[in-house]
Amino acid sequence: MEDELEDRVLHQTYLSCMKILSRFSSSVALDTPTSYFWKMVRLYLLRSEVLIFTFGIVVVFMYLQTIGLWSRTLLSRLSHAVNPINAVQRMKLMEGSDADKQSWELKGSLSAVYAIRGRRMHMEDKFIINENINDTGISLFAIFDGHGGDFAANYAQEHLIQNLYNKVVELSAFKDGKLPETPKNESPDEHKKEERENNISVERKSSFKKSVSTADDTSKKEITDPQLLAQLNKARPITREVRPIKPVKNVSVPLSSYILKGKINYGKLLTDEVLAADQLLVEAAKRSMNVAGTTALIAVLEDNNLIVANVGDSRGVMCDSRGNAIPVSFDHKPQQVREQKRIEAAGGYIAFNGVWRVAGILATSRAMGDYPLKDKNFVIANPDILTFNLEDHKPMFLVLASDGLWDTFSNEEAVKFIKERLDEPDFGAKSLTLQAYYRGSVDNITVLVINFMQEKYTTATLTE
């Protein structure tokens, strides 16, 4: 009886609501569009069976959504129970192999570097931190941004830095009177033969141990960009005709030529070593038919002197005592008047393909490697050398980075960003790298920060 009474009450309530709606609708003129629409709603949508069916669909949909959420949560908990690995550990497992590695980092005493592969398929950036080379008080830092593969960047990382390391050690001893021009226990011919073998051997490993020289540890297999190869094929066919190699003349430069007023002439040293390494790199690239190239940004620090050599579009920026951004290098871009005139004088041209490019291919006008363009002198490896006296600027820090950073940050923005994060363990290098990635950089990104927040830069020996 009670159930029947409740049903009757519910039915009477529904009828009363319908009568009220009907009276409201009848007060509206029937010849208006609004009244016609309301009549259709009342006759077809406000029927009890339609409302009940709609309510049922909503309930079923919410039920399915809830079940799906519960099932995903349950599966996640079960997976964690079976294999309890946190997010950091999972990232380490993902980076277990060189091919899958996503990031690289290194911390020196007063310098740090952080690099990520980013949105590229392969990591082609390389970096170097050598603090207090062989207890000479001289430090060496470098960034190489490869393109068309990592062959050229690997070569520069190993051979150019190895040669600079050896020369710095020899010159430091020579200027102090501890080393003669030619080693006594070795004949000139034997010395030249050994030096030639050291320079030409592409696969020989680095031998110095009193520094840290590290970067992407990927294998040495050749990686070439199909789009780059297609462009090069259009510009100049790459055939076996370019493979014959002229013998490399190994000219021994006396150490005394690099000493100027009792100090090492780093401008001449860096220029000679970069050009010599580039010549050997081009010859090695021709043998393997590898068209890869790389930029080179090298900074040498001795006492209060900073010497920066730049080839390409990696960039260095220094923050002075007042927080101003001081560029320590300038990009080599094809659209620059100086570079464009040089390219056109060599018979080349620049074309816009997303950005201005040499022969429509290369976005930097200077690089190591790139032998098809280097053979025609469209691209050169001559570095620009800038020297700074740190006493004049009293800098807080120095940032060296590949163009993956500068695609999303201006000099001033990068300096301001690092200035606020110098207290981080890596002096803000990781934060700046990741921020460039979040801003949309599509390139490999490498950021190296040297912290000068001391009365004087003091170096320390690192062991590999």
Side-chain angles (χ1 to χ4, degrees), residues 238-261:
I238 303 176
T239 66
R240 296 288 173 177
E241 295 178 1
V242 298
R243 291 198 65 185
I245 303 167
K246 297 179 181 179
V248 179
K249 294 182 179 180
N250 189 8
V251 180
S252 179
V253 180
L255 295 178
S256 58
S257 65
Y258 294 113
I259 303 298
L260 181 64
K261 296 181 180 179

Side-chain angles (χ1 to χ4, degrees), residues 49-61:
E49 57 270 24
V50 174
L51 294 175
I52 293 172
F53 179 74
T54 303
F55 179 75
I57 291 178
V58 173
V59 170
V60 171
F61 179 76

Side-chain angles (χ1 to χ4, degrees), residues 45-212:
L45 296 183
L46 295 180
R47 299 172 65 90
S48 58
E49 57 270 24
V50 174
L51 294 175
I52 293 172
F53 179 74
T54 303
F55 179 75
I57 291 178
V58 173
V59 170
V60 171
F61 179 76
M62 293 177 64
Y63 173 77
L64 293 176
Q65 289 291 325
T66 305
I67 291 296
L69 178 61
W70 286 350
S71 63
R72 288 192 296 270
T73 304
L74 180 61
L75 289 174
S76 176
R77 290 178 178 177
L78 288 175
S79 64
H80 281 288
V82 175
N83 188 18
I85 302 175
N86 60 33
V88 175
Q89 288 173 324
R90 285 197 298 272
M91 181 60 72
K92 289 182 178 179
L93 288 177
M94 288 176 61
E95 295 183 357
S97 64
D98 292 337
D100 296 329
K101 201 169 183 181
Q102 302 291 324
S103 64
W104 296 258
E105 57 185 326
L106 180 66
K107 177 73 164 60
S109 60
L110 292 175
S111 61
V113 63
Y114 193 84
I116 60 173
R117 192 178 71 184
R119 295 176 173 85
R120 288 293 179 90
M121 293 296 295
H122 304 284
M123 180 59 168
E124 297 173 347
D125 284 3
K126 310 295 173 183
F127 57 80
I128 300 294
I129 290 181
N130 288 343
E131 293 186 357
N132 192 17
I133 297 175
N134 205 36
D135 295 326
T136 59
I138 303 170
S139 297
L140 176 65
F141 308 91
I143 287 180
F144 302 104
D145 181 3
H147 47 262
D150 61 358
F151 177 82
N154 279 333
Y155 188 97
Q157 178 199 8
E158 294 184 2
H159 297 273
L160 172 58
I161 297 302
Q162 174 71 78
N163 293 339
L164 281 172
Y165 181 95
N166 293 338
K167 278 292 178 64
V168 166
V169 173
E170 292 176 0
L171 287 169
S172 296
F174 178 77
K175 72 174 184 177
D176 295 334
K178 299 177 182 178
L179 184 71
E181 283 281 343
T182 305
K184 295 180 180 179
N185 299 329
E186 196 174 18
S187 66
D189 291 337
E190 291 175 348
H191 179 70
K192 289 182 180 181
K193 181 179 180 181
E194 181 180 353
E195 186 177 354
R196 187 182 305 113
E197 291 174 352
N198 288 339
N199 288 336
I200 296 178
S201 176
V202 179
E203 297 299 330
R204 183 166 180 174
K205 302 295 182 180
S206 298
S207 60
F208 57 96
K209 297 295 180 183
K210 290 193 176 181
S211 65
V212 172

Side-chain angles (χ1 to χ4, degrees), residues 18-32 34-36 38-39 42:
M18 292 298 101
K19 288 180 180 180
I20 294 173
L21 292 174
S22 176
R23 289 176 182 177
F24 174 76
S25 61
S26 62
S27 63
V28 182
L30 296 177
D31 56 347
T32 63
T34 303
S35 63
Y36 180 77
W38 176 245
K39 184 178 180 179
R42 182 168 56 85

Side-chain angles (χ1 to χ4, degrees), residues 152-390:
N154 279 333
Y155 188 97
Q157 178 199 8
E158 294 184 2
H159 297 273
L160 172 58
I161 297 302
Q162 174 71 78
N163 293 339
L164 281 172
Y165 181 95
N166 293 338
K167 278 292 178 64
V168 166
V169 173
E170 292 176 0
L171 287 169
S172 296
F174 178 77
K175 72 174 184 177
D176 295 334
K178 299 177 182 178
L179 184 71
E181 283 281 343
T182 305
K184 295 180 180 179
N185 299 329
E186 196 174 18
S187 66
D189 291 337
E190 291 175 348
H191 179 70
K192 289 182 180 181
K193 181 179 180 181
E194 181 180 353
E195 186 177 354
R196 187 182 305 113
E197 291 174 352
N198 288 339
N199 288 336
I200 296 178
S201 176
V202 179
E203 297 299 330
R204 183 166 180 174
K205 302 295 182 180
S206 298
S207 60
F208 57 96
K209 297 295 180 183
K210 290 193 176 181
S211 65
V212 172
S213 299
T214 187
D216 170 21
D217 296 323
T218 52
S219 60
K220 301 299 188 295
K221 64 180 181 180
E222 295 177 19
I223 304 173
T224 54
D225 188 339
Q227 294 182 353
L228 177 60
L229 285 171
Q231 291 282 359
L232 288 173
N233 282 327
K234 293 179 182 179
R236 172 179 178 176
I238 303 176
T239 66
R240 296 288 173 177
E241 295 178 1
V242 298
R243 291 198 65 185
I245 303 167
K246 297 179 181 179
V248 179
K249 294 182 179 180
N250 189 8
V251 180
S252 179
V253 180
L255 295 178
S256 58
S257 65
Y258 294 113
I259 303 298
L260 181 64
K261 296 181 180 179
K263 295 183 178 180
I264 300 175
N265 185 349
Y266 287 103
K268 177 176 173 55
L269 174 63
L270 290 169
T271 300
D272 288 353
E273 291 300 325
V274 167
L275 292 177
D278 178 64
Q279 181 185 7
L280 294 169
L281 169 58
V282 168
E283 300 299 335
K286 288 180 179 179
R287 287 196 294 271
S288 59
M289 301 297 294
N290 195 306
V291 298
T294 182
T295 68
L297 180 63
I298 305 170
V300 177
L301 193 63
E302 183 182 25
D303 298 329
N304 291 321
N305 295 314
L306 172 67
I307 303 93
V308 179
N310 180 53
V311 180
D313 55 6
S314 293
R315 190 186 310 165
V317 180
M318 180 169 59
C319 176
D320 68 7
S321 58
R322 294 178 293 181
N324 298 321
I326 301 176
V328 298
S329 70
F330 295 94
D331 302 354
H332 293 131
K333 293 294 188 181
Q335 67 270 25
Q336 293 171 346
V337 176
R338 177 184 65 167
E339 298 298 291
Q340 184 176 358
K341 287 182 178 180
R342 179 187 58 77
I343 294 168
E344 292 175 349
Y349 65 95
I350 65 172
F352 190 82
N353 184 11
V355 294
W356 288 102
R357 299 175 183 271
V358 180
I361 301 171
L362 192 61
T364 178
S365 57
R366 299 194 188 191
M368 297 178 65
D370 293 295
Y371 79 83
L373 298 174
K374 188 68 63 63
D375 280 353
K376 290 192 172 184
N377 212 34
F378 296 167
V379 173
I380 61 176
N382 300 59
D384 283 338
I385 308 291
L386 295 180
T387 303
F388 301 86
N389 188 332
L390 300 186

